[in-house]
């Protein structure tokens, strides 16, 4: 089989690349290979499938009609096992081979399992694919107690869902605070308190020493010796890029696939984008920034480059960014915290009321902003960071009201 | 904002409004937070649930409440605060253009808000055949190519085109056998005889029983200067042709010499800036007004920054040109000759209109002159001039002078509209 443009993956990066290609080249053969059996969906939607708020068939990002209208071949159930750049070909688990002119690797990431003794001997769940979500939802129907390992976005979200389903949940996190990657301890404390108030046991700064099978569930022993029994164990301790099939291909990898600012790998005619790629970090280095808006941006750039779009713009650099809703409340984080001296930090809000705002500036420019129950326009904050907009003339106003000041500024400078 | 809150939530509480007018810090000007209904909507791309989508028919970014999970990732994709979360509402909200009849526009007393649908032109004309081949070699950023491709798409294949010397033939429109340049019959007239030659060709087509649109794509030199006697004659005879003057304010393809419509103060290679001269000393003649004085069937001015206005005029002009002369005067700011960045052309076009440097109007002998896009609160003409290199040398007095002539020209046009309104029969009740 041959496809001028061959894309491995079917989530945000892959889909935006396909869109970008079709903007320039309406006719060149374009194929999406995915190991998943489902129509394209977002990993981000899975907690909502688990909670029942979204139905699996109602979260499809592109339907069959879209693929027909845009002359895109969508091939589900196709697991790539090896790439041979010398032959411009790749091989599937089925033995089938595909030739390409231009290849995009957008294979995303898979759950990373922590080194917990006995973990592989007990039934446990992860949450990264639609099938994971459907199975977890079924399991929750029978469970009365659960352990969630890892207080990142997926773990927090899952714990909330379980608590709402009247399951007794213990959330175990190695870091001293929940969502440590996005929020300062004060902000995390507000979120943790909300969880505790909703009956979730928050075991922060804890690890699982071991797990063993007990009945249909498990018995877990924490590092401090406490034991917990649970019908259900969910492991959400982060993800790692899916790059195993690249062994021996000559494609350079580190934590993920190393790409330049146009999402090109070290080999000609091969691009990578999304959670699998390791690209320029806004503050230097090369980072895997596994967030949805990042995948969208990188996918667009890769697709434009693959189709020789003269208008392709280089990647500006990855900025951490997240919006998070919990128990009807909102937490938003854009950028990063202070990393040493020379930062201007403004904290405000009332922790007791559950309202909090944390602004980090350096040389009058925004580095990061995180809020809880205090809506800010994440897109505007992101632009202010990327553009390095000098906030010195409006600093007081920005700190007092980042939403209004940000909107005013962007309204003037968006052109 | 109140009208929006009423329309969307039946309340006067402005938190429910989906358009937010922000007072600027100086307390006078205003800024806007509103959905731009982007063509490349990042909010849609960022949506993990499929709740947001770009509606291909209306252009609106639709939001499906049943699918939305309130993850707020859409807000991370928007630099305009066009989709926002409001605690009082409990979910993200955005402007939906009120199904094509925006409540905010109806109540805006200053006409600061208007509902524009230029993007829909694409839906109507995108599938029609482009009457020019690929590979016209216009300068980077030139809007003439855009203009003639748009124009001929609407005119269609039953046409004959006259293209006198100027940028339009210069970019390769007079091609060969439908393989290069235009796909319709096109001829390279002289600067001096375009209108008469075209009128004669049209007569011959009529004689053999073929109904074609006879159209001239001329520059301002081929219309206002050397071409004027033939244009004037055709207009006076009301010959059934459509004459389009693409006005780049000079002879731009032969070395940027001044023409009769080059504005006062412009630098050109024949009106230089030095010890004796500070750009052109005389005023531009008001060619479209002169054309109205011929009483030909239809005269209008247009700007490529206001394409829906142009399309409406072009549609009328094509119809008129079956029986009489239609004259369209379209402005084509020239990045090469005027010296501004090629990415700024549309912005320059927009500022021409927003400062009243050019006014958009139409005229026919029965109804007289009428503004099609009145600008009652124009921006200072200095804001337009400073975008363009050919005005960089202007002294304050010269800028003041230009502002004065712009004001006078608009006042004159306004008088013409009042005369026309007074003359127009009152509609029967």
């Amino acid at each position: 089989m041959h496809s001028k443009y061959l894309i491995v993956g079917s989530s945000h990066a892959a889909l935006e690349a396909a869109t970008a290609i079709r903007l320039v080249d309406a006719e060149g053969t374009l194929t999406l290979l995915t190991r998943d059996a489902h129509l394209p969906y977002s990993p981000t939607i899975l907690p909502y499938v688990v909670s029942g708020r979204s139905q699996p068939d109602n979260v499809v990002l592109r339907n069959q009609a879209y693929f027909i209208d845009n002359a895109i071949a969508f091939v589900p159930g196709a697991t790539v096992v090896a790439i041979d750049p010398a032959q411009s070909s790749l091989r599937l688990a089925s033995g089938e081979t595909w030739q390409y002119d231009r290849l995009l690797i957008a294979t995303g990431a898979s759950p990373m399992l922590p080194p917990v003794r006995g973990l592989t001997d007990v039934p446990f769940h992860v949450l990264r694919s639609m099938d994971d979500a459907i199975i977890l939802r079924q399991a929750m129907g029978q469970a009365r107690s659960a352990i969630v390992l890892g207080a990142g976005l997926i773990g927090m979200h899952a714990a909330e869902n379980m608590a709402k389903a009247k399951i007794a949940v213990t959330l175990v996190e190695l870091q001293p605070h929940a969502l440590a990657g996005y929020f300062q301890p004060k902000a995390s404390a507000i979120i943790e308190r909300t969880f505790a108030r909703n009956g979730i046991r928050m075991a922060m700064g804890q690890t699982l020493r071991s797990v063993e099978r007990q009945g249909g569930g498990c018995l877990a022993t924490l590092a401090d010796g406490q034991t917990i029994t649970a019908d259900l164990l969910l492991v959400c301790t982060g993800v790692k890029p899916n790059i195993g099939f690249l062994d021996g291909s000559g494609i350079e990898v580190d934590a993920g696939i190393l790409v330049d600012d146009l999402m090109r790998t070290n080999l000609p005619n091969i691009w990578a984008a999304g959670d699998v790629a390791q690209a320029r970090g806004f503050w230097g280095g090369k980072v895997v920034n596994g967030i949805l808006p990042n995948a969208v941006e990188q996918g667009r750039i890769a697709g434009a480059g693959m189709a020789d779009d003269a208008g392709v713009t280089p990647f500006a650099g990855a900025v951490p960014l997240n919006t998070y809703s919990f128990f009807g409340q909102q937490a938003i984080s854009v950028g990063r915290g202070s990393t040493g001296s020379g930062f201007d930090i403004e904290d405000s809000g009332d922790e007791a009321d559950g309202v909090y705002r944390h602004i980090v500036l350096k040389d009058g420019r925004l580095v990061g902003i995180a809020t809880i129950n205090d809506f800010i326009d994440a897109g505007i904050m992101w632009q202010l960071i990327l553009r390095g907009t000098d906030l010195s003339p409006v600093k007081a106003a920005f700190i007092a009201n980042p939403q209004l000041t940000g909107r005013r500024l962007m309204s003037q400078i968006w052109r | 904002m109140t009208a929006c809150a009423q329309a969307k939530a039946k309340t006067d509480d402005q938190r429910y409004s989906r358009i937010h007018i922000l007072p600027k810090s100086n307390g006078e000007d205003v800024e806007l937070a509103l959905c731009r209904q982007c063509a490349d909507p990042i909010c849609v791309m960022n949506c993990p649930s499929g709740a947001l989508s770009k509606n291909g028919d209306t252009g609106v970014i639709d939001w499906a409440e049943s699918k939305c999970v309130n993850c707020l990732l859409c807000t991370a994709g928007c630099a305009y605060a066009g989709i926002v979360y409001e605690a009082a509402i409990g979910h993200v909200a955005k402007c939906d253009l009120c199904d094509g009849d925006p409540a905010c526009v109806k109540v805006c007393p200053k006409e600061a808000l208007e509902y524009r649908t230029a993007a829909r032109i694409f839906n109507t004309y995108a599938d029609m055949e482009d009457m020019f081949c690929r590979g016209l070699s216009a300068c980077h950023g030139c809007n003439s190519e855009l203009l003639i491709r748009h124009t001929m798409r609407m005119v269609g294949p039953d046409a004959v085109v006259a293209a006198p010397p100027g940028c339009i033939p210069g970019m390769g429109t007079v091609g060969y056998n439908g393989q290069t340049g235009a796909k319709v019959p096109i001829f390279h007239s002289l600067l001096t005889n375009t209108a008469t030659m075209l009128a004669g060709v049209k007569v011959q087509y009529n004689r053999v029983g073929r109904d074609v649109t006879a159209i001239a794509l001329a520059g301002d030199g081929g219309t206002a200067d050397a071409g004027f006697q033939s244009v004037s004659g055709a207009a006076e005879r009301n010959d059934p042709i459509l004459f389009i003057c693409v006005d780049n304010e000079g002879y731009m393809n032969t070395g940027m010499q001044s023409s009769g419509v080059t504005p006062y103060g412009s630098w050109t290679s024949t009106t230089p800036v030095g010890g004796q001269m500070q750009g052109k000393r005389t005023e531009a003649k008001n060619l479209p007004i002169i054309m109205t004085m011929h009483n030909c069937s239809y005269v209008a001015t247009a700007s490529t920054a206001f394409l829906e206005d142009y399309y409406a005029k072009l549609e009328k002009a094509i119809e008129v040109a079956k029986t009489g002369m239609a004259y369209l005067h379209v402005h084509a700011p020239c990045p090469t000759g005027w010296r501004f960045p090629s990415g700024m052309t549309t912005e320059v076009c927009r500022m021409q209109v927003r400062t009243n440097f050019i006014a958009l109007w139409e005229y026919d002998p029965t109804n007289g002159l009428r503004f099609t896009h009145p600008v009652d609160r124009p921006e200072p003409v200095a804001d337009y001039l400073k975008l363009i290199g050919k005005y960089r040398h202007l002294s304050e007095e010269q800028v003041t002078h230009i502002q004065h002539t712009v004001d006078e020209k608009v006042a004159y046009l306004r008088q013409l509209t009042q005369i026309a309104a007074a003359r127009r029969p009152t509609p029967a009740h």
Side-chain angles (χ1 to χ4, degrees):
Chain A
M1 304 287 277
H2 174 266
S3 184
K4 181 176 180 185
Y5 306 103
L6 190 58
I7 298 176
V8 188
S10 65
S11 197
H12 293 283
L15 297 173
E16 292 312 327
T19 305
I21 290 168
R22 278 292 177 251
L23 279 178
V24 176
D25 183 349
E27 287 155 12
T29 49
L30 171 51
T31 306
L32 256 63
L33 302 175
T34 174
R35 66 178 179 179
D36 218 294
H38 301 268
L39 280 164
Y41 61 87
S42 173
T44 304
I45 201 67
L46 297 174
Y48 303 94
V49 173
V50 172
S51 73
R53 173 140 177 197
S54 302
Q55 302 305 311
D57 55 2
N58 202 27
V59 297
V60 169
L61 295 177
R62 303 283 191 276
N63 58 23
Q64 215 42 267
Y66 166 84
F67 291 121
I68 292 167
D69 288 348
N70 290 279
I72 298 171
F74 175 69
V75 185
T79 306
V80 177
V81 292
I83 293 182
D84 183 352
Q87 301 296 320
S88 293
S89 74
L90 52 76
R91 188 156 48 81
L92 303 184
S94 64
E96 199 176 318
T97 60
W98 279 80
Q99 300 279 323
Y100 59 82
D101 295 349
R102 307 264 164 112
L103 174 68
L104 172 64
I105 303 169
T107 45
S110 293
M112 197 155 53
L113 297 182
V116 173
R117 183 149 46 87
L119 182 61
T120 48
D121 302 324
V122 300
F124 67 91
H125 293 263
V126 291
L127 184 53
R128 182 67 190 185
S129 70
M130 185 59 78
D131 290 339
D132 292 342
I134 292 167
I135 294 167
L136 178 59
R137 179 162 171 77
Q138 284 164 352
M140 274 171 51
Q142 280 108 49
R144 313 196 50 150
S145 60
I147 298 171
V148 175
L149 188 56
L153 286 167
I154 294 280
M156 295 289 277
H157 214 132
E160 177 179 341
N161 290 337
M162 290 175 182
K164 285 178 175 167
K166 309 256 183 294
I167 296 172
V169 188
T170 304
L171 189 54
V172 182
E173 167 61 46
L174 172 68
Q175 301 287 330
H177 282 288
L179 298 169
Y182 298 106
F183 295 101
Q184 298 298 307
K186 276 189 199 166
S188 294
I190 294 174
I191 300 171
E192 286 165 27
R193 220 170 36 240
T194 305
F195 272 63
R197 209 178 299 134
N198 283 278
I200 296 168
R201 187 172 157 209
M202 303 294 283
M204 300 296 106
Q206 281 278 8
T207 52
L208 279 193
R209 186 192 295 163
S210 65
V211 284
E212 56 194 272
R213 187 183 277 272
Q214 189 176 72
C218 68
L219 171 74
T221 308
L222 298 182
D224 66 1
Q226 291 183 66
T227 58
I228 314 164
T229 59
D231 301 333
L232 195 155
L233 172 62
L234 174 65
V235 179
C236 308
T237 48
V239 294
K240 58 175 190 304
N242 290 322
I243 51 177
F245 65 103
L246 298 178
D247 290 349
S249 67
I251 296 175
E252 267 177 22
V253 297
D254 178 29
I257 300 173
L258 289 164
V259 291
D260 66 8
D261 292 348
L262 294 175
M263 301 299 128
R264 295 178 296 201
T265 67
N266 61 311
L267 295 184
N269 301 322
I270 303 180
W271 283 255
D275 291 6
V276 77
Q278 188 175 351
R280 174 197 290 277
F282 184 70
W283 291 282
K286 289 214 170 183
V287 297
V288 175
N289 189 28
I291 58 166
L292 195 163
N294 197 76
V296 164
E297 186 68 16
Q298 294 186 353
R300 264 154 54 98
I301 293 169
M306 291 167 76
D308 295 323
D309 186 337
V312 63
T313 46
F315 187 51
V319 173
L321 183 156
N322 249 301
T323 56
Y324 171 53
S325 296
F326 59 100
F327 294 104
Q329 305 184 48
Q330 277 72 38
I332 300 170
S333 161
V334 187
R336 64 174 185 178
S338 68
T339 50
S341 59
F343 289 87
D344 219 343
I345 296 171
E346 300 288 341
D347 259 340
S348 62
D350 190 340
E351 284 175 68
D353 289 350
V355 178
Y356 178 71
R357 182 188 301 159
H358 181 80
I359 299 175
V360 183
L361 300 163
K362 186 166 194 196
D363 303 329
R365 283 151 174 91
L366 185 64
V367 173
I369 179 167
T371 66
I372 294 182
N373 294 321
D374 170 26
F375 182 78
I376 48 168
D377 304 297
I380 288 179
M381 299 303 151
W382 192 14
Q383 284 297 316
L384 292 177
I385 293 173
L386 284 178
R387 294 171 181 222
T389 306
D390 185 7
L391 300 178
S392 323
V394 292
K395 186 177 163 190
F398 185 80
I399 287 162
N401 191 341
Q403 184 194 52
L404 177 62
T405 312
R407 287 179 182 180
R408 264 186 197 149
L409 271 172
M410 237 15 245
S411 188
Q412 290 161 35
I413 64 176
W414 63 268
R415 282 170 200 248
Chain B
M1 285 164 67
T2 308
C4 182
Q6 273 295 345
K8 294 301 154 199
K10 298 200 171 17
T11 164
D12 285 341
D13 184 344
Q14 296 194 343
R15 283 178 304 170
Y16 290 83
S17 175
R18 288 148 190 216
I19 176 169
H20 287 274
I21 311 290
L22 315 168
K24 235 188 206 174
S25 28
N26 66 13
E28 291 170 14
D29 299 329
V30 292
E31 302 290 358
L32 190 65
L34 174 70
C35 175
R36 306 301 207 261
Q37 319 291 351
C38 297
D40 58 343
I42 313 275
C43 58
V44 174
M45 300 176 198
N46 277 1
C47 179
S49 68
L52 289 167
S53 58
K54 173 86 175 170
N55 186 317
D57 294 327
T58 62
V60 174
I61 310 282
D62 289 331
W63 173 74
E65 184 167 12
S66 66
K67 287 188 174 187
C68 179
V69 294
N70 246 344
C71 68
L72 310 189
L73 278 167
C74 48
T75 69
C78 183
Y80 313 110
I83 183 161
V84 300
Y85 178 83
E86 172 52 58
I89 304 174
H91 56 71
V92 292
K94 66 178 291 300
C95 169
D96 59 6
L97 290 176
C98 296
D99 291 329
D101 188 18
C104 55
V105 175
K106 283 188 275 194
V107 299
C108 180
K110 302 278 188 195
E111 294 183 0
L113 292 169
E114 59 176 308
Y115 180 49
R116 294 186 57 184
T117 55
R120 289 194 198 157
I121 289 169
F122 177 84
N123 287 359
T124 313
Y125 294 99
D127 292 335
M128 290 186 177
E129 189 181 1
D130 189 338
M131 288 298 143
F132 289 97
C133 298
R134 291 181 184 190
L136 297 182
S137 54
C139 294
H140 206 217
C142 174
N143 72 347
S144 303
E145 178 176 349
L146 171 93
L147 175 71
I148 63 178
R149 286 187 189 274
H150 271 275
T151 301
M152 291 309 296
R153 229 173 243 255
M154 191 191 229
V155 170
D158 292 324
V160 57
V161 180
C167 292
I168 290 170
M171 69 175 82
T173 51
V174 183
Y176 173 70
N177 210 16
Q179 302 300 303
T180 61
K183 297 177 190 170
V184 296
I186 182 166
F187 62 95
H188 193 37
S189 55
L190 296 179
L191 260 184
T192 47
N193 69 0
T194 308
T196 38
M197 203 173 159
L198 184 64
V201 169
K202 170 71 175 168
V203 167
Q204 176 61 14
Y205 270 103
N206 282 352
R207 187 174 289 160
V208 298
R210 282 200 54 196
D211 181 20
V212 301
T213 303
I215 175 169
L217 299 173
D220 49 293
T223 311
D225 294 349
F228 187 64
Q229 53 81 13
S230 71
V231 175
S232 178
E236 182 269 321
R237 292 188 301 274
N238 209 18
D239 283 334
I241 60 172
L242 167 52
F243 198 102
I244 299 182
C245 173
V246 184
D247 179 5
N248 57 16
E249 302 179 359
Y251 294 85
M252 291 303 157
N253 69 321
T254 52
M256 305 156 201
Q257 295 88 349
S258 173
S259 82
V261 296
T262 303
Y264 167 84
S266 301
W267 169 90
T268 68
S269 57
T270 50
T271 57
V273 177
Q276 297 298 313
M277 246 181 141
Q278 292 296 313
K280 194 177 179 225
R281 288 169 174 154
T282 55
E283 303 296 334
K285 60 178 163 185
N286 194 336
L287 190 61
I289 285 295
I290 295 169
M291 293 309 293
T292 65
M293 300 300 173
H294 289 76
N295 288 312
C296 64
S297 293
Y298 187 68
V299 178
T301 60
S303 164
T304 55
F306 296 81
L307 272 180
E308 72 274 48
D309 178 74
Y310 175 64
Y311 265 84
K313 289 167 177 171
L314 180 60
E315 195 170 3
K316 283 183 196 169
I318 291 169
E319 192 52 36
V320 163
K322 292 182 194 308
T323 53
M325 176 148 163
Y327 175 82
L328 296 178
H329 194 99
V330 192
H331 293 267
C334 170
T336 311
W338 298 14
R339 308 200 167 160
F340 61 84
S342 57
M344 291 291 288
T345 308
T346 298
E347 183 60 21
V348 168
C349 288
R350 193 178 290 125
M351 283 302 285
Q352 286 187 314
V353 173
R354 288 173 62 166
T355 57
N356 266 339
F357 190 81
I358 67 158
L360 298 179
W361 51 262
E362 65 180 0
Y363 161 92
D364 67 73
T366 312
N367 295 304
L369 193 138
R370 175 182 86 84
F371 287 118
T372 56
H373 183 87
V375 178
D376 295 332
R377 293 182 8 169
E379 297 187 34
V381 99
D383 287 355
Y384 163 66
L385 300 174
K386 75 182 179 197
L387 296 173
I388 297 159
K390 72 171 175 172
Y391 297 119
R392 188 166 299 140
H393 60 278
L394 292 183
S395 67
E396 222 166 277
E397 291 73 38
Q398 284 177 300
V399 172
T400 310
H401 173 83
I402 294 171
Q403 180 70 60
H404 181 68
T405 50
V406 163
D407 294 345
E408 277 197 329
K409 197 169 111 182
V410 171
Y412 176 67
L413 288 169
R414 199 162 283 135
Q415 284 179 1
L416 292 180
T417 63
Q418 284 157 3
I419 293 166
R423 200 177 61 187
R424 214 168 290 149
T426 38
H429 289 285

